[in-house]
Amino acid sequence: MAIATINPTTGETLKIFQPLEDGEITAKLELAQQTFEAYRQTSFQLRSQWLQQAANILEQEKADFAKIMTLEMGKTLKSAIAEVEKCALVCRYYAENAPNFLADVTVKTDASDSFVKYQPLGVILAVMPWNFPFWQVFRFAAPALMAGNVGLLKHASNVPQCALAIEDIINRAGFPAGAFQTLLIGAAKVAGLIADDRVKATTLTGSEPAGISLAVASGQQIKKTVLELGGSDPFIVLESADLELAVSTAVTARMLNNGQSCIAAKRFILAETIADQFEKMLLAKFQTLKIGDPFADDTDIGPLATPGILQDLDQQVKIAVKSGARVLTGGNALKDRPGNFYPPTIIIDIPLDHPIAKEEFFGPVALLFRVANLDAAIKLANDSPFGLGASAWTNNEAEQNRLIQEIEAGAVFINSMVKSDPRLPFGGIKRSGYGRELSIQGIHEFVNIKTVWVR
């Protein structure tokens, strides 16, 4: 894929970027290593001051940064502004809490003094996706920088201006040159970076194939990885649920980011007793959503990020129909306009034994399933190769407790949609990846947890 800004609303190529030459990559690696040697000695107070300034820049210029996101990957402008604001929030969270998260922890032993110390690893390589082009990066960068690490960013090739803007924000905030650098390179260069001794660990948010490739390359070098991959999150609605709230939340949870989110609700698992009513209400709401220019205030659904994503989604829907499923609304790419537009779509009667029932649909497509009882709902929810998040709706406390205990996922939200929060650890199990971002667990992923014992 070319490193380029291609407007997904119009299909127009706006700007093409030349990938870095090998010599330029080597120079950036050397700068990162040199910067780390000094940066690791800086105080938490100074790092915090710089990260707070990054938050200030994000808040003051949020409209400008949001426009870049909308232009490059098509999310609505209002959601892009909210994303920038969330990036400022995670910066402030780690600026305020990292000193406590990384403070020495005394442990009573037979030593005169024994404690756990947290120290930075060095240069961390982050391979990041296009769907939340600011948030995904800052939720890595904020804890990594506060821990005393330095970062290299290999961003998705369709959001180069976002990648460069993030580096500029961190530089303007006061961090030393080399503390965080964007590498405009193709995916083929990643393995070489991982093999370089100066890179100490890697993190990736993206597809399963990308995660496998990075994990294999890192494993060959015995280097730590954190992976956040795909998801096919269940959204379970049981008989005692507040149906109005569940349906309105379901629309938001499925259409988040034009449907292109790993933690978007994708499989709607409905108790038979409320399934007809839920289906009717959801259909009515889907049919009122406005598709169009993501810069317009009244647009609900913008374009998908690339023509390839549009083609893949359209093909998945066609396979589902061929397998015996039925489309209630939508179901075909919109070819009456330029850009990568796909309408809000609802699919029912999906055969459970067909592979399509377990796939991730990365776009505005909701899969509806019916179950007889709680046991069947839990079984179907867990019948997935993924385990990122799950949303479940019930006002029955016993049902809530079983769902919390038995759902196989990195997060379970009861009577709410799944979302990331700087205060809570975020990540998945099974083929959704491993490791955690955010909270205290996130900052501990890329530090040396050193045991110290003194007589």
Side-chain angles (χ1 to χ4, degrees):
M1 180 186 291
I3 301 174
T5 299
I6 302 173
N7 187 340
T9 304
T10 65
E12 180 185 4
T13 298
L14 302 177
K15 193 171 184 180
I16 297 174
F17 295 79
Q18 290 301 313
L20 295 176
E21 300 287 345
D22 289 345
E24 295 172 307
I25 297 171
T26 299
K28 287 182 177 291
L29 272 169
E30 185 58 32
L31 175 60
Q33 181 60 37
Q34 290 176 358
T35 300
F36 172 66
E37 296 302 332
Y39 180 68
R40 68 184 302 175
Q41 305 299 333
T42 59
S43 66
F44 281 124
Q45 181 180 3
L46 195 53
R47 295 175 206 165
S48 177
Q49 176 183 318
W50 291 332
L51 199 55
Q52 292 280 15
Q53 181 58 23
N56 292 340
I57 294 170
L58 285 161
E59 290 170 344
Q60 292 162 7
E61 301 175 30
K62 61 186 178 183
D64 294 332
F65 299 134
K67 288 175 184 176
I68 299 172
M69 278 191 273
T70 298
L71 188 68
E72 290 201 306
M73 59 71 55
K75 69 173 69 225
T76 62
L77 185 62
K78 55 193 172 187
S79 66
I81 290 171
E83 181 172 334
V84 180
E85 291 170 342
K86 192 172 183 179
C87 292
L89 182 67
V90 78
C91 288
R92 297 202 191 284
Y93 174 78
Y94 279 109
E96 295 164 5
N97 290 288
N100 290 330
F101 290 163
L102 298 175
D104 293 351
V105 178
T106 298
V107 180
K108 293 293 185 182
T109 69
D110 57 337
S112 303
D113 188 17
S114 51
F115 56 95
V116 178
K117 191 170 195 65
Y118 302 98
Q119 294 180 309
L121 295 179
V123 180
I124 314 297
L125 172 65
V127 180
M128 292 289 116
W130 49 264
N131 58 337
F132 292 94
F134 268 59
W135 169 244
Q136 305 277 14
V137 176
F138 273 99
R139 78 182 190 192
F140 153 74
L145 291 169
M146 281 303 300
N149 295 306
V150 301
L152 293 175
L153 170 64
K154 188 278 181 231
H155 217 325
S157 294
N158 60 324
V159 289
Q161 293 190 56
C162 289
L164 293 170
I166 293 167
E167 178 183 332
D168 183 60
I169 291 165
I170 292 172
N171 286 337
R172 284 196 284 143
F175 287 94
F180 190 91
Q181 299 177 83
T182 282
L183 306 179
L184 293 183
I185 57 174
K189 296 290 185 182
V190 171
L193 285 169
I194 294 170
D196 192 288
D197 288 341
R198 288 165 290 198
V199 172
K200 302 304 182 187
T202 59
T203 180
L204 178 143
T205 298
S207 67
E208 278 185 81
I212 291 168
S213 177
L214 181 127
V216 168
S218 299
Q220 289 174 337
Q221 305 298 325
I222 321 296
K223 292 183 180 179
K224 174 72 179 288
T225 56
V226 170
L227 302 181
E228 193 262 279
L229 308 178
S232 188
D233 285 8
F235 188 103
I236 302 166
V237 186
L238 301 175
E239 187 172 11
S240 66
D242 179 335
L243 214 55
E244 284 283 352
L245 182 58
V247 171
S248 61
T249 305
V251 176
T252 303
R254 176 61 282 208
M255 296 302 154
L256 177 69
N257 205 37
N258 304 335
Q260 302 164 118
S261 170
C262 294
I263 56 169
K266 298 187 176 87
R267 295 180 297 138
F268 295 83
I269 300 171
L270 314 173
E272 191 69 55
T273 51
I274 55 86
D276 285 342
Q277 188 177 358
F278 184 98
E279 185 180 293
K280 181 179 179 181
M281 295 166 69
L282 187 70
L283 176 61
K285 288 185 178 294
F286 268 37
Q287 290 176 332
T288 65
L289 295 172
K290 182 174 180 181
I291 308 162
D293 180 0
F295 282 101
D297 291 339
D298 60 347
T299 293
D300 298 305
I301 308 292
L304 300 182
T306 69
I309 294 163
L310 176 67
Q311 182 178 357
D312 289 347
L313 184 68
D314 195 44
Q315 183 65 21
Q316 281 180 297
V317 172
K318 286 177 169 53
I319 291 171
V321 172
K322 191 174 181 180
S323 76
R326 290 194 295 128
V327 174
L328 293 186
T329 187
N332 288 292
L334 301 181
K335 298 179 180 179
D336 60 342
R337 65 186 81 190
N340 313 318
F341 288 93
Y342 200 90
T345 297
I346 297 174
I347 304 177
I348 63 171
D349 298 338
I350 304 127
L352 295 181
D353 60 351
H354 195 282
I356 203 75
K358 295 179 173 62
E359 289 183 4
E360 178 180 27
F361 283 65
F362 216 63
V365 177
L367 311 181
L368 271 55
F369 302 88
R370 297 181 179 221
V371 291
N373 52 41
L374 177 61
D375 288 340
I378 293 172
K379 181 180 179 181
L380 182 53
N382 290 338
D383 186 18
S384 168
F386 301 107
L388 194 52
S391 175
W393 295 75
T394 172
N395 288 306
N396 181 303
E397 186 176 355
E399 290 179 339
Q400 291 177 0
N401 290 335
R402 280 199 61 193
L403 289 158
I404 292 167
Q405 184 67 26
E406 297 179 34
I407 292 292
E408 298 168 354
V412 176
F413 281 62
I414 303 295
N415 296 330
S416 180
M417 63 181 276
V418 178
K419 57 190 175 184
S420 57
D421 183 316
R423 297 166 294 186
L424 294 169
F426 180 84
I429 60 172
K430 301 196 283 189
R431 298 190 75 85
S432 289
Y434 51 75
R436 291 296 180 265
E437 297 177 284
L438 304 177
S439 191
I440 186 171
Q441 288 81 6
I443 201 169
H444 283 174
E445 288 285 6
F446 294 121
V447 294
N448 175 19
I449 303 174
K450 180 184 285 186
T451 293
V452 180
W453 195 99
V454 181
R455 176 169 302 193

